[in-house]
Amino acid sequence: CMERPGGPLRHPRSERDLGQLLRSLRQRGIGTVSFDGGEASLSPLLLPGIRMARSLGFVHVQLVTNGVRLASRAFVRSLTDAGLDRVNLSLHAVDSATSRAIYGADVYPRQRRALEELRLADPPLGLTMATVLVATNRASLGAILETAAAQRPEHMALIYCLPAHYGGHIANVALADLEDGEVLQVLEAFQEARPAQTLELRHFPFCQLPERLRPFVRARGQRAASGPPQRLLTALKPSNRRLCRGCARR
């Protein structure tokens, strides 16, 4: 759980700190709290934090995780007993070699088991999924998206660039090159095969999207343009355009 009220990110170091932060957020009318990290499932503050969030009246309590610890049915049950109702699972690889390159270990078997445990959770947990697109997993992007979509998540996101403060293995891997159009062909094929599945594109440089995909793209918070149904969405904002020299010249 992090907060940036115009200053540096603040990580609670004790249950007291976490309680103060949660009360502050609730007093400001915030109804959803998300625990992330790092890997929040490793924190001893996670379960107490979920319980505190529920006692303070948060409507939704979410965990952002790589899913490795959620391969344990007992751990998933402890989360739901504490009051967790949503999981955002980060899935960046669906094969051993790519998993090792990104995470430093082959964690996909445990992520696959975690998805099974989440499907069986009682009470049910809302599931969203996110993938960071990097050079290492570009070749398997289609398989990653299909694996994620098969879980029938409420929402899917494909992220081109993570903010630097998130750190971790994934932030240190080279960005994928979009100029050859291979990634965009995968995205087109995915949307044609699964027209009902909304895939949000985050931090993609707009200037590298071909004309045929631009009608499906809008900035977050803006009204959808007329034309084809909005299926590919992007959270691109003017401040993100520094990621791309082409966009910076626009």
Side-chain angles (χ1 to χ4, degrees), residues 29-42:
I30 295 173
T32 297
V33 63
S34 180
F35 293 90
D36 56 27
E39 177 51 47
S41 68
L42 298 176

Side-chain angles (χ1 to χ4, degrees), residues 101-125:
I102 290 176
Y103 293 103
D106 182 10
V107 302
Y108 178 60
R110 291 185 63 82
Q111 290 177 312
R112 186 172 60 237
R113 175 65 184 273
L115 289 169
E116 294 174 3
E117 294 301 334
L118 290 173
R119 182 174 56 83
L120 298 172
D122 184 20
L125 286 165

Side-chain angles (χ1 to χ4, degrees), residues 15 77 81 103 107 147 162:
E15 287 190 30
R77 183 57 184 268
D81 286 350
Y103 293 103
V107 302
T147 299
L162 273 178

